[in-house]
Amino acid sequence: MNLKEKVQKAGVVGAGGAGFPTHVKIDAQVEYVIANGAECEPLIHKDGELMERFAEKVVEGLKLVMEATKASYGIIGIKEKKARAVEALRQAIAGTEIKIHLLDDYYPAGDEVMLVYEVTGKLIPPAGIPLHIGIVVNNVESLYNIANATQNIPVISKFLTVTGNVKQPMSFIAPVGISLKEAIEIAGGPTIGKYAVLTDGPMMGSLEPNLDAPITKTMSGVIVLPAEHHLVERKSRPADVMTTIGKSACDQCRFCTDRCHRYLLGYDVQPHNVMRSLGYSASDADYWRKWGYLCCECGLCSLYSCPEELYPKEACRTSRQILREKGIQWKGEVPPTPHIMQEYRRTPLQQLVKHLGLTEYDQPAPFVAIDYSPQQVRLPLSQHIGVPAEPVIRVGDKVKKGQVIAEIPRGKLSARIHASIDGTITNIDSEIVCVKRETESFLKLA
Ligand code: SF4
Ligand code: SF4
């Protein structure tokens, strides 16, 4: 069995948030393989902890992908400030051709387009992917999972940072499918009464009101914040309110565009123009919407750049959705040319943290080895880009930890799902498979 088949069998998907099935991504011949360890979301530390504690496995995964794709170069992109992880990686790459590329501490250093430019000096064609210029980018946790796949270990657990108003901010490996509530309890539980929960990160993440929602293969963090925190208030606004405020209050100052890292790299992203689309209707608005097409939804414009706290990112997202629904493709200049100020208009992470009102939560979340056996897990059939996996079990079936419970539909882009505990299938619907154990749950912290 080749690497692609092993990775497909293990259900590996992009663990950095996107969830693209990895067996498809590595089925190519490229010049470079880049390990994305940039981890730029404020408060999230799980990739740094993973690289520090499991550097050898990350490097092993990188070597395997380089071999499978016949790549000449393997480079790990990591922030210089993560000194312990950098040192662990240096030891792990000793004697190999793999290099480390140190990054400054700015947001969004982890955007694939930005990282590729930083590491290789190359720009991905607009609306393209790294493969178009002979590059594959894998998140460091995906590489860890690839190394596991070659030892027949499927993706049934997830590295996670749980932080904010919790007793013991920490990073740990959680069984896929446990609830947000359980993840928060593992970190000692909330320290405040009325709180809100953000999944993934403050910038690209979203509020999750349902604490029974499951931890998935792509989730990077769980952040507990006071319900009245300004960031919570901003993220709680309904879409129609965002649009109404934007329509009436945008003064076209352009700060959102002038600080957009993709605009600065030379891509034709102009959120201030997309904001104009809010005042138009039907086809006239499409003229303005096109400047949102290449947006990566990093959130910098809405949560940092706009002095009026408007929502250009959300306007870009809506524009992209509408353009896609209408079948309108991006058209524009190729290739992009970086702006003369590109290097000087980066957003320092510390400045961003302060602006978001998160300084008091900017704390370490060290790795803690846990042994957690939940009483039940809820496994979404869609934890990846593509179509949902198809259940291959029935209600009442007994399953073993690591057993396949949902398969890739024939000929489709999808990823396998495995049981993350031993138990009995108690429910299957169009979205989720539920597995329950007979015995009580237990938690041991190392
Ligand atoms: S920064 Fe805000 S006010 Fe200025 S153009 Fe952008 S959305 Fe409008
Ligand atoms: S969210 Fe805003 S800053 Fe980020 S890429 Fe899109 S337009 Fe640019």
Side-chain angles (χ1 to χ4, degrees):
M1 203 184 287
N2 64 26
L3 186 68
K4 181 198 159 192
E5 289 160 345
K6 287 177 186 165
V7 164
Q8 178 172 356
K9 200 172 149 217
V12 183
V13 302
F20 192 84
T22 305
H23 64 275
V24 179
K25 201 181 223 189
I26 62 172
D27 189 20
Q29 287 199 12
V30 294
E31 194 181 5
Y32 291 86
V33 179
I34 300 176
N36 189 348
E39 191 163 58
C40 56
E41 272 283 356
L43 315 189
I44 303 295
H45 298 285
K46 66 103 183 161
D47 280 347
E49 294 296 317
L50 178 141
M51 289 184 283
E52 184 182 334
R53 318 283 168 158
F54 302 95
E56 283 181 7
K57 204 163 245 192
V58 171
V59 170
E60 190 190 328
L62 179 52
K63 281 199 266 186
L64 287 164
V65 178
M66 286 175 68
E67 210 179 288
T69 58
K70 301 193 167 30
S72 309
Y73 306 100
I75 305 172
I76 304 168
I78 177 171
K79 289 190 173 172
E80 189 172 8
K81 71 170 183 181
K82 300 203 185 245
R84 290 193 303 273
V86 171
E87 185 46 39
L89 289 169
R90 281 211 169 109
Q91 287 180 23
I93 62 170
T96 73
E97 297 291 309
I98 295 170
K99 303 260 181 291
I100 292 175
H101 185 99
L102 297 177
L103 303 162
D104 291 336
D105 194 17
Y106 66 91
Y107 184 85
D111 174 25
E112 204 166 70
V113 167
M114 188 76 231
L115 184 68
V116 165
Y117 180 67
E118 278 267 12
V119 170
T120 66
K122 295 175 189 246
L123 285 164
I124 300 168
I129 55 172
L131 195 58
H132 292 147
I133 50 169
I135 298 173
V136 160
V137 181
N138 286 117
N139 170 266
V140 287
E141 187 180 347
S142 306
L143 293 170
Y144 170 94
N145 287 333
I146 288 169
N148 274 345
T150 61
Q151 294 161 21
N152 296 318
I153 303 172
V155 183
I156 56 171
S157 54
K158 184 71 191 82
F159 273 81
L160 209 59
T161 292
V162 180
T163 189
N165 282 117
V166 290
K167 283 198 189 103
Q168 191 185 350
M170 60 161 86
S171 300
F172 57 89
I173 303 174
V176 170
I178 66 165
S179 67
L180 296 179
K181 202 193 296 168
E182 288 170 287
I184 294 167
E185 285 306 323
I186 290 170
T191 53
I192 50 174
K194 217 175 151 206
Y195 62 88
V197 173
L198 262 175
T199 55
D200 295 316
M203 296 299 287
M204 294 188 77
S206 50
L207 292 170
E208 179 51 78
N210 176 15
L211 294 189
D212 292 326
I215 301 297
T216 65
K217 293 182 190 181
T218 60
M219 201 176 276
S220 59
V222 179
I223 303 172
V224 176
L225 290 177
E228 66 281 7
H229 193 283
H230 188 53
L231 184 62
V232 174
E233 187 202 322
R234 286 215 61 200
K235 286 194 177 252
S236 307
R237 290 217 173 116
D240 58 334
V241 174
M242 291 180 188
T243 303
T244 308
I245 305 172
K247 225 188 249 188
S248 58
C250 175
D251 60 12
Q252 291 290 292
C253 70
R254 270 191 66 112
F255 285 174
C256 50
T257 294
D258 290 335
R259 278 186 169 268
C260 168
H261 71 290
R262 287 211 167 182
Y263 168 77
L264 290 166
L265 282 173
Y267 296 90
D268 209 0
V269 183
Q270 299 189 30
H272 76 286
N273 272 335
V274 179
M275 291 299 279
R276 289 194 200 186
S277 72
L278 304 177
Y280 288 78
S281 59
S283 58
D284 286 346
D286 288 344
Y287 176 77
W288 303 104
R289 285 183 185 129
K290 65 187 179 188
W291 281 291
Y293 202 96
L294 302 178
C295 163
C296 68
E297 300 187 18
C298 72
L300 199 62
C301 49
S302 293
L303 295 175
Y304 183 77
S305 310
C306 179
E308 305 196 32
E309 299 203 325
L310 304 181
Y311 293 92
K313 165 190 138 172
E314 287 72 9
C316 287
R317 180 196 288 154
T318 307
S319 293
R320 282 154 54 91
Q321 276 163 1
I322 294 170
L323 292 176
R324 276 205 203 108
E325 280 161 18
K326 290 185 173 182
I328 299 172
Q329 300 291 321
W330 186 85
K331 281 191 210 136
E333 277 179 39
V334 180
T337 309
H339 193 285
I340 193 169
M341 295 298 286
Q342 188 269 328
E343 211 180 316
Y344 309 102
R345 283 206 200 135
R346 288 175 178 163
T347 303
L349 199 75
Q350 284 313 306
Q351 214 164 298
L352 177 61
V353 167
K354 193 171 165 201
H355 187 86
L356 294 171
L358 295 175
T359 305
E360 67 176 293
Y361 305 105
D362 190 17
Q363 57 207 350
F367 178 76
V368 177
I370 66 162
D371 184 4
Y372 181 52
S373 280
Q375 196 158 24
Q376 82 161 22
V377 288
R378 295 172 68 242
L379 302 163
L381 294 167
S382 186
Q383 303 183 42
H384 48 262
I385 287 176
V387 302
E390 281 176 353
V392 291
I393 32 69
R394 292 192 193 151
V395 171
D397 284 357
K398 303 261 184 230
V399 291
K400 288 272 171 210
K401 187 174 173 178
Q403 182 178 330
V404 180
I405 58 149
E407 266 292 1
I408 298 173
R410 188 181 287 270
K412 301 282 188 195
L413 180 68
S414 186
R416 269 181 157 186
I417 310 288
H418 302 76
S420 54
I421 57 170
D422 292 346
T424 305
I425 305 290
T426 55
N427 192 42
I428 304 172
D429 63 27
S430 59
E431 293 179 3
I432 281 191
V433 172
C434 189
V435 188
K436 264 194 184 153
R437 286 187 333 138
E438 301 296 318
T439 45
E440 296 267 299
S441 65
F442 70 84
L443 169 67
K444 279 189 216 152
L445 300 187

